[in-house]
Amino acid sequence: MTESIGQALDRVFGHPRGWLGRLGGAVMASSNAATERHVSTVARAGDGETALVVGPGPGVGLAEVATKAAVTIGVDPSPDMLGLCGQRCADRISNGTVRLHQGTAASTGQEPESVDVVISVNNVQFWEDRKAAFGELFRVLRPGGRIVLSAHEKSLPVSRHELADELEQAGFADLQTWVWDPPGPAAPRAAQLRAWRPSADPR
């Protein structure tokens, strides 16, 4: 049976596998690098913090975040991409500051309230159940923790404002959304969002 365009894109970018997945990994490593660095700066993972990178792909952003956070966790559904992350972050994996797990945004495998910041670049459009995913990411964030999402604006499944509404429905607060133009004449505009899990009531 002939593979549909959607199935092919999923095999390249959504759940990369095989030679198409390896090709997708190379494309992501090149085209997403500037956005990955920018989002890492926006997220501001600190020395004592644990960061969760959802869908790290070939690991460019994961490696960038790992230079700032105490512990960086990469969760990806693709064993091929986890393999590339492992190669890119081998030294940090060996000393325990980078950890890799197979999973999805809706099923990260992390403990409740165990991370300080969640980062996702160019994969929210592949999440099969965004409501479940946002609920899961809210669950794993510590009170006061934040989430930063970025995706090509033209690839979003809904508008960035609708995504912000979905985050709010999941319990997030202080939502901010904006667009950012990566360097380069052909780089697509990125839609970006940042929100916080409210801090615990001090009373």
Side-chain angles (χ1 to χ4, degrees):
M1 182 179 293
T2 303
E3 188 174 49
S4 71
I5 293 175
Q7 289 171 326
L9 286 174
D10 183 71
R11 194 148 61 92
V12 177
F13 299 114
H15 298 79
R17 54 199 181 274
W19 71 269
L20 276 177
R22 291 190 292 274
L23 174 63
V27 170
M28 287 185 279
S30 173
S31 63
N32 289 347
T35 302
E36 300 269 17
R37 289 191 293 269
H38 174 73
V39 170
S40 175
T41 299
V42 171
R44 296 181 181 177
D47 289 342
E49 292 189 315
T50 297
L52 172 63
V53 181
V54 178
V60 173
L62 185 79
E64 181 73 20
V65 174
T67 66
K68 301 175 176 66
V71 175
T72 305
I73 303 165
V75 173
D76 201 289
S78 168
D80 290 349
M81 293 301 102
L82 291 175
L84 292 177
C85 288
Q87 295 172 23
R88 195 178 296 274
C89 300
D91 290 345
R92 294 184 184 275
I93 290 172
S94 64
N95 68 22
T97 59
V98 167
R99 305 170 189 165
L100 302 176
H101 299 279
Q102 188 170 3
T104 65
S107 181
T108 65
Q110 306 306 304
E111 294 295 323
E113 300 184 6
S114 60
V115 304
D116 300 286
V117 57
V118 171
I119 297 169
S120 165
V121 175
N122 287 338
N123 59 76
V124 67
Q125 64 269 33
F126 297 111
W127 296 356
E128 295 178 359
D129 185 339
R130 289 194 308 279
K131 181 177 180 180
F134 288 143
E136 168 72 355
L137 300 178
F138 185 90
R139 182 188 71 83
V140 301
L141 272 173
R142 295 188 177 102
R146 65 260 183 222
I147 182 172
V148 180
L149 303 178
S150 179
H152 300 318
E153 188 173 36
K154 64 182 182 181
S155 300
L156 287 177
V158 295
S159 74
R160 60 189 171 91
H161 299 292
E162 289 174 285
L163 277 181
D165 289 342
E166 292 177 7
L167 281 163
E168 190 171 40
Q169 290 167 13
F172 289 95
D174 299 325
L175 281 86
Q176 303 165 347
T177 179
W178 64 95
V179 294
W180 182 72
D181 292 309
R189 170 168 286 187
Q192 303 187 330
L193 299 92
R194 178 170 53 195
W196 278 260
R197 174 171 174 168
S199 298
D201 189 332
R203 295 170 297 179

